[in-house]
């Protein structure tokens, strides 16, 4: 029994130790990445290409999801609000839910699974096929040339995707609320306009999406760069990116919400 | 003839090099006190069985791994004491061909060869175009410039990677298992290319390989690595006629000898009968 307990605690200790060590390594990696970020802005084409891959190619999934989430909000919101006779506030409910919470969080989760996993797999495979080593031997720093542009591409793309998610979501809410169930169009828009505050709501939402962008991009490039250079290693790293990024987004959202609102 | 009879102008000299991978279960020694020299203008082969530390040796020359003891000096500069900036400057004078080419799969053959030129020079695009075609012509693949890496055969990838590694006219070209997995024709093409390019560029080359037949035809000097040490060295003729047991086993491809057929294990009979 005591042996079993010993092993049990040892394995917990080992995992905690491992986790802290990895976190430290990830922080050092981020620091190195930031130091070598100059090239991402001097040769902005490299970063722009990544914005295209992570951002533009995620547009469809983001916008379709946004539309449906907005439509669901419209239905559920109307259902609840009309019980209290305040269905005219549907616009406010849809807009605030999206801008404050669902926009950044849902876009972040979708971004992690659509673009983050792709970045991890790409960097991991480049490592497994010695492309990163080859680059190093060509006197080109892979962190500066490959990793940093992907990181910044994600950081730039994420807030734009979150904004688009919220915008299509509001449109989805409008479609269902105004066109389908017949909330007054003027009330829908005017209440939204008067109740959504730029600084308090929109700016805070943008800050959230920037933070999520940094976190997801950081996790994706780190997992890719740190992946074991085998098929199994890359697949594990991709899974870890999606799982870690999703949990981190939800956790960070809680912290940010507590601080902001 | 021994290595000392060759001209003493060494591009790379390796002294007392030791390296071990540290693992939780203790460290595994890969290289143990290796001394070696790569003379200017020559092609040197490093041979030995799989996993004997040959590739580690190349990575050490390129500064990608740090030895626990000993030094690598290239052209008067000690590789492992250099700052990052100086190491990168030194690497611009090296070319390395990786085992499976390591071409960038998202860009064309042309862009792969142009990559180091674009990264390190400010040359106008027309000049880069001509340079790339010249390099590709040298490996016989000018006509494949527009292809993507996934459209190439193994031998072709290897040749494109070779063109890429000589893009900046390096002084030292390193080859990591350049002959692995090639058909006989591609094999002798790559072999001939290594020799011809070395002589045309006035470079020095190191080939890490276990392909005896091809490499003995094209190299000037051979080092045999076994269990992290230099087991034998000499010119191809000396190696062919060597009576060192390990070299004989290797050159004549005998399954058993100093390198045992069996991985170390418990006594066979005891293991089958589950005896202690």
């Amino acid at each position: 029994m005591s042996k079993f307990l010993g092993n049990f605690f040892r394995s917990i200790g080992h995992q905690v130790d491992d986790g802290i060590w990895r976190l430290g390594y990830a922080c050092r990696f981020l620091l190195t990445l930031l130091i070598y970020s100059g090239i991402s802005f001097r040769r902005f084409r490299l970063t722009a290409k990544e914005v295209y891959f992570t951002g533009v190619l995620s547009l469809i999934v983001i916008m379709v999801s946004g539309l449906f989430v907005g439509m669901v909000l419209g239905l559920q919101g109307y259902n609840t609000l009309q019980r209290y006779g305040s269905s005219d506030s549907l616009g406010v409910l849809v807009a605030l839910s999206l801008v404050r919470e669902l926009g950044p969080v849902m876009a972040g989760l979708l971004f992690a699974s659509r673009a983050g996993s792709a970045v991890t797999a790409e960097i991991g495979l480049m490592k497994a096929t010695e492309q990163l080593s080859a680059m190093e031997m060509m006197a080109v720093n892979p962190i500066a040339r490959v990793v940093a542009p992907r990181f910044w591409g994600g950081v730039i793309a994420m807030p734009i995707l979150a904004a688009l998610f919220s915008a299509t979501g509001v449109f989805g809410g409008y479609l269902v609320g105004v066109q389908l169930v017949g909330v007054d169009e003027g009330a829908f828009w005017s209440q939204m306009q008067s109740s959504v505050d730029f600084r308090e709501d929109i700016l805070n939402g943008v800050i959230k999406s920037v933070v999520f962008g940094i976190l997801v991009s950081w996790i994706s490039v780190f997992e890719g760069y740190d992946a074991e250079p085998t098929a199994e290693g890359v697949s594990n790293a991709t899974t870890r990116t999606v799982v870690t990024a999703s949990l981190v987004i939800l956790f960070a959202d809680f912290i940010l919400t507590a601080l902001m609102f | 003839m021994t290595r000392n009879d060759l001209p003493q102008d060494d591009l790379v000299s390796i002294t007392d090099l030791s390296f071990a991978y540290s693992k939780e279960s203790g460290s595994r020694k890969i290289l143990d006190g290796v001394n070696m020299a790569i003379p200017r203008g020559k092609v040197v082969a490093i041979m030995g069985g799989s996993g004997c530390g040959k590739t580690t040796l190349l990575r050490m020359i390129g500064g990608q791994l740090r030895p626990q003891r000993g030094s690598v000096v290239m052209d008067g500069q000690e590789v492992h004491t250099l700052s990052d900036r100086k190491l990168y400057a030194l690497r611009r004078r090296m070319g390395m061909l990786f085992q499976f080419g390591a071409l960038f799969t998202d860009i064309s053959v042309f862009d792969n060869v142009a990559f180091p030129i674009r990264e390190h020079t400010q040359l106008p695009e027309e000049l880069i175009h001509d340079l790339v075609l010249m390099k590709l012509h040298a490996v016989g693949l000018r006509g494949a410039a527009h292809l993507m890496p996934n459209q190439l055969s193994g031998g072709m990838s290897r040749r494109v990677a070779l063109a890429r590694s000589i893009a900046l006219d390096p002084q030292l070209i390193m080859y990591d298992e350049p002959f692995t997995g090639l058909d006989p024709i591609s094999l002798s093409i790559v072999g001939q290319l290594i020799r011809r390019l070395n002589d045309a560029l006035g470079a020095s080359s190191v080939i890490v390989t276990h392909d005896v037949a091809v490499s003995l035809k094209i190299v000037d000097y051979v080092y045999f690595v076994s269990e992290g040490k230099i087991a034998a060295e000499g010119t191809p003729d000396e190696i062919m006629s060597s009576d060192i047991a390990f070299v004989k086993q290797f050159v004549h491809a005998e399954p058993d000898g100093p390198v045992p057929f069996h991985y170390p294990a418990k006594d066979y009979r005891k293991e089958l009968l589950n005896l202690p």
Side-chain angles (χ1 to χ4, degrees):
Chain A
M1 184 66 189
S2 69
K3 196 176 167 198
F4 171 76
L5 276 179
N7 281 340
F8 177 70
F9 285 118
R10 198 168 303 131
S11 99
I12 290 181
H14 185 72
Q15 277 178 21
V16 170
D17 182 54
D18 222 42
I20 293 173
W21 188 86
R22 240 177 104 74
L23 187 65
Y25 182 47
C27 289
R28 260 180 52 188
F29 179 78
L30 181 66
L31 197 69
T32 318
L33 189 163
L34 294 178
I35 291 171
Y36 287 115
S37 283
I39 191 178
S40 310
F41 298 98
R42 270 202 311 279
R43 289 167 61 186
F44 194 72
R45 273 171 52 123
L46 292 176
T47 310
K49 198 174 138 206
E50 299 310 323
V51 173
Y52 174 77
F53 278 118
T54 51
V56 178
L57 296 184
S58 308
L59 271 181
I60 293 198
V61 66
I62 292 280
M63 291 176 72
V64 171
S65 313
L67 192 69
F68 281 113
V69 168
M71 283 159 69
V72 169
L73 275 176
L75 278 179
Q76 292 280 17
Y78 179 77
N79 207 330
T80 313
L81 288 176
Q82 67 153 352
R83 288 187 214 169
Y84 306 101
S86 53
S87 56
D88 284 353
S89 311
L90 183 65
V92 183
L93 181 126
V94 170
L96 284 184
S97 329
L98 282 165
V99 171
R100 281 181 165 202
E101 286 299 332
L102 289 172
V105 172
M106 288 289 292
L109 294 176
L110 289 167
F111 182 70
S113 41
R114 164 65 183 77
S117 58
V119 165
T120 303
E122 193 188 10
I123 296 180
L125 276 174
M126 285 183 86
K127 185 181 179 189
T129 52
E130 294 188 311
Q131 294 180 43
L132 297 184
S133 272
M135 212 175 260
E136 238 174 44
M137 286 307 299
M138 280 184 256
V140 176
N141 187 332
I143 295 200
R145 182 64 173 69
V146 173
V147 175
R150 279 165 178 75
F151 174 79
W152 288 109
V155 172
I156 293 169
M158 177 60 214
I160 302 174
L161 290 175
L164 282 169
F165 186 96
S166 299
T168 45
V170 168
F171 181 66
Y174 162 79
L175 277 185
V176 168
V178 176
Q179 302 295 338
L180 192 71
V181 297
V183 174
D184 179 59
E185 186 169 358
F188 184 88
W189 292 118
S190 66
Q191 289 228 9
M192 189 190 296
Q193 224 172 1
S194 60
S195 306
V196 177
D197 183 58
F198 178 75
R199 215 196 66 80
E200 172 84 350
D201 302 315
I202 296 186
L203 201 63
N204 277 340
V206 171
I207 292 174
K208 273 189 181 178
S209 60
V210 172
V211 172
F212 298 163
I214 293 172
L215 291 172
V216 173
S217 303
W218 176 23
I219 292 170
S220 338
V221 292
F222 173 71
E223 289 291 358
Y225 197 80
D226 189 48
E228 190 114 345
T230 59
E232 198 197 359
V234 175
S235 104
N236 284 341
T238 313
T239 312
R240 266 205 310 273
T241 292
V242 177
V243 174
T244 319
S246 308
L247 292 177
V248 166
I249 285 174
L250 295 172
F251 177 71
D253 183 51
F254 172 72
I255 302 281
L256 287 173
T257 306
L259 292 175
M260 285 171 174
F261 302 108
Chain B
M1 184 165 112
T2 68
R3 206 193 61 72
N4 294 330
D5 301 331
L6 289 169
Q8 274 307 286
D9 187 17
D10 293 335
L11 179 64
V12 178
S13 46
I14 294 171
T15 327
D16 191 28
L17 200 69
S18 296
F19 180 80
Y21 280 112
S22 56
K23 283 198 174 146
E24 283 163 24
S25 52
S27 64
R28 192 163 69 94
K29 226 170 195 172
I30 306 288
L31 296 173
D32 186 12
V34 169
N35 292 299
M36 200 178 271
I38 298 151
R40 280 179 209 272
K42 302 288 177 189
V43 180
V44 172
I46 303 174
M47 290 194 202
S50 309
C52 74
K54 305 188 299 282
T55 304
T56 310
L57 201 52
L58 280 195
R59 289 187 183 268
M60 216 85 87
I61 299 175
Q64 290 187 304
L65 288 174
R66 194 168 279 276
Q68 270 93 23
R69 205 178 68 218
S71 69
V72 177
V73 178
M74 176 173 164
D75 211 11
Q77 289 177 289
E78 194 174 335
V79 175
H80 300 97
T81 57
L82 296 177
S83 65
D84 267 8
R85 215 165 53 83
K86 284 193 173 148
L87 179 62
Y88 273 82
L90 185 68
R91 280 186 188 155
R92 287 187 203 186
R93 289 155 48 196
M94 300 178 183
M96 181 152 172
L97 179 69
F98 284 81
Q99 192 166 358
F100 295 105
L103 293 177
F104 303 130
T105 41
D106 56 337
I107 53 179
S108 70
V109 163
F110 181 93
D111 291 328
N112 260 288
V113 180
F115 183 88
I117 309 177
R118 286 188 180 134
E119 290 291 321
H120 292 306
T121 67
Q122 303 290 328
L123 296 177
E125 201 53 34
E126 304 92 71
L127 194 52
I128 293 181
H129 176 263
D130 295 352
L131 277 174
V132 170
L133 289 190
M134 279 158 66
K135 300 294 175 191
L136 280 172
H137 188 75
V139 298
L141 289 176
R142 191 164 39 86
H146 61 284
L147 296 179
M148 292 301 282
N150 59 11
Q151 295 172 296
L152 304 176
S153 70
M156 283 162 85
S157 311
R158 215 70 60 91
R159 279 149 73 189
V160 173
L162 182 50
R164 185 179 68 178
S165 58
I166 57 164
L168 292 172
D169 296 338
Q171 284 178 299
L172 174 69
I173 316 176
M174 296 185 273
Y175 300 90
D176 186 5
E177 307 274 12
F179 307 122
T180 310
L182 295 185
D183 64 75
I185 302 173
S186 310
L187 199 81
S188 72
I189 291 177
V190 172
Q192 286 309 312
L193 274 176
I194 290 175
R195 183 75 238 186
R196 271 189 13 222
L197 290 173
N198 184 74
D199 297 346
L201 291 171
S204 315
S205 302
V206 196
I207 311 176
V208 153
T209 179
H210 43 233
D211 194 305
V212 180
V214 185
S215 36
L216 285 187
K217 271 189 237 156
I218 58 165
V219 303
D220 298 304
Y221 202 77
V222 181
Y223 287 97
F224 265 96
V225 180
S226 167
E227 289 170 1
K229 293 185 184 344
I230 303 286
E233 58 180 289
T235 59
D237 290 338
E238 289 168 349
I239 293 295
M240 287 301 280
S241 54
S242 166
D243 46 10
I244 301 173
F246 167 73
V247 177
K248 257 169 102 175
Q249 185 193 355
F250 204 93
V251 172
H252 302 291
E254 291 155 1
D256 214 350
V259 178
F261 171 69
H262 287 290
Y263 192 81
K266 274 197 335 193
D267 186 71
Y268 191 31
R269 201 181 70 91
K270 279 185 184 162
E271 187 151 11
L272 285 185
L273 296 175
N274 253 337
L275 297 175

